[in-house]
Amino acid sequence: MFSKSEFREVVKSMGLVFGDIGTSPIYTLTVIFLLTRPTPVHIIGVLSLIIWTLIILVTLEYAWLAMSLGKKGEGGTIVLKEILVPLLKSSRNVALVTLLAYIGTSFLIGDGVITPAISILSAVEGLRIIPQFESISQGTIILISAAIAVALFSVQSKGIEKITWVFGPIMVLWFAAIGFSGIASIFYTPEVLNAINPYYAISFLLDNGIVGFFVLSEVILCATGGEALYADMGHLGREPILKAWRFVFIALVLNYLGQGAFLLRNPGSTNFLYQMINQQANILYIPFLLLSIIATIIASQAMISGMFSIVYQGITTRIIPMLKIDYTSGILKSQIYISTINWLLLISVLFMMLVFRESARLAAAYGLAVTGTMSITGIMMTSIFYHRKDITKAVISLFITLIDIVFLLSNSYKIPHGGYWSIIIAAFILSLILIYTSGQKKLYELMKLMSAKDFLKKYNYLYATQNKIMGTALFFTRDIESIPQYISHVMFKNNIIYENNIFISIIKSDSPFGIESSFTKEPAKGLKILEIRAGYMEIVNVEQILEDQGVHEKTIFYGVEDIFTNNLIWRVFSIIKKISPSFVQFYRLPTDELHGVMTRFEM
C-alpha cells in the first residue's frame, strides 16, 4: 500500500498537521451538550452534523479544493492571494483581495492564541476522573496547565527538530486509541451508525430552529485545525497529508460515534471521552490521560510552529514589520524561532487560561476565528476557480463557502460569551498590518529618490575626480532604477566613494521557494549590481550569498528613516519602525561592517 519512505512521511504528517483537529474529540461533544439536551434524537442529529462538517469543511474544502491550489507545493491565505491577484483586472478587486488576505492572516493569529489554552486545559481536566483527584480545584488545574504551557514555550528557542521525530508515532498511537475506543463503544449501541445519514443532521437543524442554528457554533469545534491541512502543505507535500487524513478521518468519526453511543447509554455523563475510556478499561485510564496531555502539547507545538511560519510569510511579503529571527535547524529551513511572537503568544495563552478558567468556557470563544478564516478561504478559492473557468469546482466551492458563512453567522452567538477576544486579537493584528503597510507606502512616496540616469551622471564625475577608499562598499536598494536618499548623502554630500561599490537588491518573487543571485550589470566603472531573487518563504542568508559570489566587503551602508509626525496613526507607525529590527539585522549581516545613514521624514 505504501513504500517505506511514503509511510514515514504519512506518520510525520500525523504529528505536524493533525494535532489540533485530532485532539478536538476531548471537548467537542461535551461542549455541544451544554447547549442542548442529550436525548437519543439530539445525539444522532449532532453526530450527523459532526460527520458531515468533517466531510464538507475539511475533506472537500481543504483536502480536495484548497490543496489543489498551491505554489511550488506551498499553501495558505497569502498563497491564495498570490494566485488570485494576477487573475484580477480591477485594482479595486486587488485591494479587496489583499484586505481579505490580511483579515484571514489576522484571524489565524487570533485563533492561535486560543488553541493551546483550550487543548491543554481540556486534557488536564481529565484528572478529575481519577478517584484520588475528584475534588481537585479548578485553580490547581489552571496552575498545572499554565506550567505545561510555560515549559512548552520555553523550549522553543532550543529548536524542536530533535524531538519532532517522536510526534508522528505518538499521534498514530493517539488516533489508534481513540479509534478503537470508539469501535468498542459502537459495538454495544450500533444504532449510532444511523448518524452517517445526512437526513438526521438536516432534521436536527429544522426541528430545533434557532437553538439548532447556535449548536452549529459548537459543532465547528470538530473541524478546528482543518485549515492546517492546507497551511502546512509546504512542509510535507500534498500526498502524505491526504493519505494521513484518510486514517485521521476514520479515527475521528469512530470516536465521535463511540462517544455518542456512550452518551446514549449514560445520559448523565459530563466528560464523555474520559468517562468512556475509564468505563471501558479503568486500568488504562491514567496512561490514556497522559497520552492525551502529550497529544495536546503536540497540537500546541504544531500551532506555535505554524504561527512562526505565518509571521515569517508576513515579514517577507512586507505586511508585518521585521522581527528578530533565529534559525534552529541546520537541515530544515522552515524551523525558525521568533522570540517576540513566542513570548507574546505565551502571555496571551496564560491570559486566556486565567480569564476563562475552564475549557467549556473557552469553547464559547473558540471557533469564531476559524470560521472567519474558512469563509475567506472559500471566497478566494471560488474566485480563483471562476477566473480559471473551472465552473464545476467554482460551483462546489461557492456551495461550501455558503456553508462556511452559515457557521460564521452561528458563531456570532459566541461574541458576548468571550468570542469578542478573537475579534479583539484579530482586529489588533489587522490594525498593525494596515498601519504598517500604509506607513511603508506613504514613506516610500516621501522619499526623494534619484533617477538612475541622474545618479550615474554625478557618480561618474565623482569617481573620476575624487580620491577613492580602498576596498568594497555595499549599498542596499529596493529598486536600482530609483536610488534612495541615503546613497546620495554618502556619496555626494559626504564625498565617500570606494574603489568597488556594489548595489544589492533583494527581490521577493511570487513563488514560495527558490534563491538565485547574480551580478546583472556594471553600469559604471567601480559600480556593480547584485540581484538576489528569493521566494517569499525563503530564509535568505545574505552573508553566505556574498561569500559564494566572491564579495569581501569592507563596509555596508544602509538607510535609517527617522519619522517626525503629529498624526496619531503615523506615530504608531513610527514606534513600530523604531522597535522592529532594521533589515540588516533581519538578514544577519556582520555588525562590525555596518554603517546606518539617517534621513528624517515628516509625515
Side-chain angles (χ1 to χ4, degrees), residues 244-346:
W245 171 240
R246 292 173 202 163
F247 293 106
V248 172
F249 174 75
I250 291 165
L252 290 174
V253 168
L254 287 172
N255 188 260
Y256 282 120
L257 288 171
Q259 284 189 53
F262 172 78
L263 189 55
L264 284 171
R265 298 193 300 273
N266 305 273
S269 304
T270 53
N271 196 330
F272 312 147
L273 176 65
Y274 289 125
Q275 287 177 335
M276 177 174 83
I277 299 289
N278 192 44
Q279 191 185 86
Q280 286 172 342
N282 181 260
I283 196 166
L284 293 175
Y285 180 72
I286 292 174
F288 178 81
L289 178 63
L290 291 172
L291 177 64
S292 72
I293 290 171
I294 295 166
T296 57
I297 290 168
I298 291 170
S300 302
Q301 177 58 61
M303 186 284 306
I304 296 165
S305 300
M307 203 57 58
F308 292 158
S309 294
I310 290 165
V311 171
Y312 185 79
Q313 218 171 356
I315 291 168
T316 56
T317 49
R318 295 196 176 102
I319 68 167
I320 290 174
M322 287 183 171
L323 299 167
K324 183 177 177 287
I325 289 173
D326 294 304
Y327 311 120
T328 58
S329 167
I331 305 158
L332 290 170
K333 57 189 168 188
S334 58
Q335 290 290 332
I336 56 174
Y337 170 71
I338 307 174
S339 60
T340 312
I341 299 302
N342 188 65
W343 300 119
L344 282 175
L345 266 176
L346 174 61

Side-chain angles (χ1 to χ4, degrees), residues 533-598:
R533 293 187 171 272
Y536 57 82
M537 280 294 283
E538 281 290 0
I539 291 159
V540 184
N541 187 339
V542 176
E543 203 174 355
Q544 186 61 53
I545 290 168
L546 292 171
E547 201 176 301
D548 294 343
Q549 290 289 348
V551 175
H552 302 288
E553 72 283 351
K554 191 173 183 180
T555 308
I556 301 169
F557 290 104
Y558 66 98
V560 179
E561 297 91 14
D562 181 34
I563 297 161
F564 175 73
T565 182
N566 291 318
N567 181 299
L568 181 62
I569 289 172
W570 298 144
R571 269 188 192 169
V572 174
F573 174 66
S574 174
I575 292 164
I576 292 170
K577 290 287 281 184
K578 278 192 178 86
I579 62 174
S580 58
S582 70
F583 81 99
V584 289
Q585 290 168 285
F586 180 74
Y587 288 121
R588 308 302 256 325
L589 293 163
T591 50
D592 55 335
E593 296 169 5
L594 293 172
H595 290 277
V597 182
M598 189 173 283

Side-chain angles (χ1 to χ4, degrees), residues 277-576:
I277 299 289
N278 192 44
Q279 191 185 86
Q280 286 172 342
N282 181 260
I283 196 166
L284 293 175
Y285 180 72
I286 292 174
F288 178 81
L289 178 63
L290 291 172
L291 177 64
S292 72
I293 290 171
I294 295 166
T296 57
I297 290 168
I298 291 170
S300 302
Q301 177 58 61
M303 186 284 306
I304 296 165
S305 300
M307 203 57 58
F308 292 158
S309 294
I310 290 165
V311 171
Y312 185 79
Q313 218 171 356
I315 291 168
T316 56
T317 49
R318 295 196 176 102
I319 68 167
I320 290 174
M322 287 183 171
L323 299 167
K324 183 177 177 287
I325 289 173
D326 294 304
Y327 311 120
T328 58
S329 167
I331 305 158
L332 290 170
K333 57 189 168 188
S334 58
Q335 290 290 332
I336 56 174
Y337 170 71
I338 307 174
S339 60
T340 312
I341 299 302
N342 188 65
W343 300 119
L344 282 175
L345 266 176
L346 174 61
I347 291 162
S348 305
V349 166
L350 295 177
F351 177 74
M352 287 291 170
M353 286 179 177
L354 289 169
V355 167
F356 289 94
R357 299 186 66 80
E358 296 171 16
S359 62
R361 288 178 64 195
L362 251 172
Y366 198 33
L368 193 63
V370 178
T371 49
T373 305
M374 287 178 169
S375 300
I376 287 166
T377 299
I379 291 164
M380 292 171 87
M381 282 195 315
T382 305
S383 187
I384 291 167
F385 291 129
Y386 172 75
H387 283 93
R388 285 184 172 177
K389 304 283 190 287
D390 192 339
I391 302 304
T392 306
K393 280 186 177 176
V395 170
I396 295 167
S397 183
L398 179 62
F399 168 71
I400 292 168
T401 305
L402 293 173
I403 292 172
D404 285 331
I405 291 166
V406 168
F407 272 103
L408 179 60
L409 292 172
S410 75
N411 271 271
S412 63
Y413 158 80
K414 293 184 173 183
I415 293 171
H417 301 284
Y420 57 85
W421 279 112
S422 288
I423 295 173
I424 289 169
I425 296 163
F428 176 72
I429 302 295
L430 181 62
S431 301
L432 287 182
I433 290 172
L434 292 173
I435 290 169
Y436 181 70
T437 50
S438 305
Q440 288 288 80
K441 191 179 174 187
K442 176 79 173 169
L443 189 60
Y444 195 71
E445 286 168 5
L446 290 172
M447 287 180 180
K448 291 169 185 167
L449 301 169
M450 187 181 280
S451 71
K453 187 182 172 185
D454 291 343
F455 171 80
L456 287 173
K457 196 174 172 182
K458 283 192 170 188
Y459 170 84
N460 285 327
Y461 174 77
L462 196 71
Y463 196 83
T465 58
Q466 288 288 330
N467 290 327
K468 289 169 280 297
I469 301 167
M470 296 275 286
T472 300
L474 306 182
F475 299 86
F476 284 86
T477 174
R478 190 185 292 185
D479 179 7
I480 51 174
E481 293 304 315
S482 306
I483 311 301
Q485 272 168 294
Y486 86 90
I487 298 178
S488 305
H489 286 171
V490 171
M491 289 186 174
F492 309 140
K493 280 196 175 178
N494 300 319
N495 288 350
I496 296 171
I497 194 153
Y498 279 72
E499 267 187 323
N500 298 304
N501 302 278
I502 299 173
F503 285 7
I504 299 175
S505 180
I506 299 172
I507 300 161
K508 288 291 174 185
S509 66
D510 289 343
S511 300
F513 295 115
I515 297 180
E516 291 172 3
S517 64
S518 61
F519 284 102
T520 55
K521 54 186 171 181
E522 199 168 328
K525 193 179 179 186
L527 179 63
K528 287 182 180 177
I529 310 293
L530 176 63
E531 258 188 23
I532 300 170
R533 293 187 171 272
Y536 57 82
M537 280 294 283
E538 281 290 0
I539 291 159
V540 184
N541 187 339
V542 176
E543 203 174 355
Q544 186 61 53
I545 290 168
L546 292 171
E547 201 176 301
D548 294 343
Q549 290 289 348
V551 175
H552 302 288
E553 72 283 351
K554 191 173 183 180
T555 308
I556 301 169
F557 290 104
Y558 66 98
V560 179
E561 297 91 14
D562 181 34
I563 297 161
F564 175 73
T565 182
N566 291 318
N567 181 299
L568 181 62
I569 289 172
W570 298 144
R571 269 188 192 169
V572 174
F573 174 66
S574 174
I575 292 164
I576 292 170

